[in-house]
Amino acid sequence: MTGGKARGGRAFLRGVGGVFSVPGLVLSASFFGFGAFARESGLDLAQTVFMGGIFALPGQVVLADEMATGAGLAAAFIAVTLTAVRLLPMTVALVPVIRDERTPLWQQLVLSHLVAVTVWVMALRELPQMPRPARVPFLAGLGTGLLPTVLAFAAAGHVIAGAVPGPLAAGLMFLTPIYFLLSMVAAARERLDGMAIGTGLALGPIFYVYAPGFDLLLTGLVGGSLAYGLSRWLRR
Amino acid sequence: MIYSGEVWPFIVILVAGFLATDLWRWLGVLTAQRIDESSELLRWVRAVSTALVAGLVARIVLFPVGAMALAPLSGRVGAVAVGFLVFILVRRNVFAGILAGEAVLVALTVAASGQLF
């Protein structure tokens, strides 16, 4: 039992060390960019850090954008929840890898807060190589290290963005879209994902011009359905 | 303005942010044993959410607000193109793609605006 606890402690510390991995650094840089974006959207520092705790960048950026444009609570909820639906299949895929037969449900529910593209990719790559009892403490450690770190970076992004002049500030804000695009392409599992990225990129600006306020929902529904229909048609 | 006030923004973030997001994570945990991840419904749902986020990327790049508006259109689009190309060339390395895209964006913004750091 003591040996098990010691192993669990080591796994926890290894998880904390994940802050210094490449995905950890990309995530930190992206939260820095989010902090800058949130400031441009009119959020104050406390709101920005609180929002960072959601730990899902696409939803955070959508929410900051919805709040900046004065959308209502229901509209904001629908827009954000649509970006978060993707977390359902990701969680479903990850949970069987994380738990063993004795892992209590509440631990799985708490750890599920970490499910986001970057951590998900990292966990699916690293966890299968670990003994099962080490996986829950590893993820707990990863969350314990990563959450405060990215929140600190979001705060830094919010504070520094105002003091940084022109080109560098533009570069900070550019972190968010380029990270989303590349990590989405990197996480693409099949042709459908690539096609949905394509239709979304093409339709997003069009709907923004012709249906501002509903543009993200329309882009998702129309672009996603188009890509889905096309992929089914191509499969025949 | 609906978002003015001290507490209201935090309530919006809590409900339209945390709840709207963690709902799906919790649902994922609860249905982990029963749901078929390759089901057609989930493929469609994933396509919809992917297109939504991609649309947001295009909007941020083509209709920039705030500091990014300083970057010329050619710089923003060129930075995405170069970042994507480097990402593909460097074995789908996200970090390399981001660095390359950022370099192009900052360089072209400096050139266009005449502002240095």
Side-chain angles (χ1 to χ4, degrees):
Chain A
M1 194 60 210
T2 316
K5 269 186 184 162
R7 273 196 296 278
R10 271 199 298 277
F12 182 87
L13 287 179
R14 251 190 84 185
V16 174
V19 169
F20 301 102
S21 63
V22 169
L25 292 176
V26 168
L27 202 60
S28 297
S30 303
F31 268 77
F32 192 88
F34 163 74
F37 179 85
R39 186 195 181 100
E40 299 287 355
S41 303
L43 296 181
D44 67 25
L45 182 61
Q47 292 161 2
T48 300
V49 172
F50 185 55
M51 192 182 282
I54 297 170
F55 204 64
L57 275 170
Q60 289 168 214
V61 172
V62 169
L63 181 57
D65 184 75
E66 293 279 326
M67 290 174 74
T69 53
L73 183 64
F77 184 94
I78 292 169
V80 171
T81 217
L82 254 172
T83 70
V85 175
R86 64 200 287 104
L87 300 175
L88 170 62
M90 286 163 64
T91 309
V92 172
L94 193 59
V95 163
V97 182
I98 297 171
R99 63 158 178 224
D100 58 30
E101 62 276 13
R102 284 177 308 165
T103 308
L105 185 64
W106 70 267
Q107 284 188 1
Q108 298 176 40
L109 289 171
V110 169
L111 285 178
S112 75
H113 189 68
L114 295 174
V115 176
V117 178
T118 314
V119 172
W120 184 73
V121 171
M122 181 187 183
L124 273 191
R125 201 180 54 216
E126 301 212 354
L127 288 183
Q129 297 155 16
M130 289 178 199
R132 253 181 204 280
R135 296 179 187 178
V136 167
F138 174 83
L139 268 185
L142 188 65
T144 305
L146 217 46
L147 260 174
T149 304
V150 297
L151 293 185
F153 271 94
H158 188 281
V159 171
I160 294 173
V164 170
L168 217 55
L172 284 178
M173 285 193 69
F174 185 67
L175 274 174
T176 300
I178 190 76
Y179 170 70
F180 279 176
L181 184 65
L182 296 187
S183 63
M184 258 196 314
V185 176
R189 282 182 295 171
E190 50 169 318
R191 190 165 49 186
L192 172 62
D193 298 319
M195 292 194 304
I197 294 170
T199 55
L201 286 175
L203 292 176
I206 296 173
F207 281 125
Y208 177 67
V209 170
Y210 290 106
F214 297 96
D215 53 319
L216 291 182
L217 296 179
L218 281 172
T219 301
L221 285 172
V222 177
S225 301
L226 215 64
Y228 177 77
L230 202 65
S231 87
R232 289 206 66 155
W233 184 73
L234 284 174
R235 260 195 306 185
R236 279 190 303 178
Chain B
M1 197 59 186
I2 198 165
Y3 288 110
S4 59
E6 286 295 310
V7 184
W8 181 243
F10 289 94
I11 295 174
V12 172
I13 294 169
L14 201 63
V15 175
F18 280 88
L19 188 62
T21 306
D22 278 325
L23 194 71
W24 298 105
R25 288 166 169 150
W26 297 332
L27 216 59
V29 171
L30 295 178
T31 57
Q33 285 143 317
R34 274 160 284 155
I35 207 159
D36 176 12
E37 218 224 334
S38 59
S39 79
E40 288 303 310
L41 178 66
L42 278 178
R43 286 184 76 235
W44 174 76
V45 161
R46 202 176 71 233
V48 168
S49 59
T50 301
L52 189 155
V53 176
L56 179 63
V57 168
R59 195 178 86 187
I60 294 174
V61 170
L62 293 182
F63 303 96
V65 292
M68 218 166 68
L70 189 64
L73 179 67
S74 61
R76 287 177 263 125
V77 175
V80 171
V82 170
F84 186 77
L85 205 68
V86 169
F87 162 78
I88 295 292
L89 289 176
V90 189
R91 293 184 303 168
R92 298 169 75 84
N93 187 317
V94 174
F95 203 68
I98 291 176
L99 281 182
E102 284 288 345
V104 170
L105 183 97
V106 173
L108 289 182
T109 306
V110 168
S113 67
Q115 277 189 43
L116 220 55
F117 301 103

